Amino acid sequence: MARGDSYQLQGQQGGVYLSGTQFSTKKFRVIHALTATVIGGFTSTNIVDDAGAPITTLTLAANTVVGGQFDGVQLSSGSVICYYA
C-alpha cells in the first residue's frame, strides 16, 4: 500500500499556481519556483533561520524546489506551483 507522504512529494495530491502578488491559505509540502520568485511571507513554516526562528521571506531562483511544511504562502513577485500537503 502506498504511503500518502510519497504521493505528496511526487505532487500527486495536486497543487496551486500562484503568480505576481497572489496568496493562498492552504497547506503545502513543496514549492516549485517557475521564475525568479520572492515569497513575502508565510502564516507558518517549519523552516527556520540560523537563530532558530521561522523564516518570514524566501527568495528562490527560477526552477528551484524547496520542501517543508508551509501554510499561508504570500508572493511578492514571481510564479510558483505549491503542492498540497
Side-chain angles (χ1 to χ4, degrees), residues 1-62:
M1 183 166 163
R3 292 177 32 169
D5 58 350
S6 66
Y7 284 108
Q8 292 167 333
L9 295 175
Q10 298 169 23
Q12 294 179 7
Q13 300 284 46
V16 64
Y17 171 82
L18 301 174
S19 66
T21 58
Q22 289 182 310
F23 67 94
S24 176
T25 58
K26 303 288 186 185
K27 295 178 186 272
F28 302 107
R29 176 74 59 153
V30 174
I31 299 173
H32 179 183
L34 303 174
T35 63
T37 299
V38 176
I39 299 174
F42 303 96
T43 301
S44 68
T45 179
N46 68 344
I47 307 298
V48 298
D49 63 18
D50 59 352
I55 60 171
T56 56
T57 63
L58 187 61
T59 300
L60 301 171

Side-chain angles (χ1 to χ4, degrees), residues 70-82:
F70 307 98
D71 298 349
V73 175
Q74 170 70 56
L75 291 189
S76 293
S77 65
S79 60
V80 297
I81 297 177
C82 298

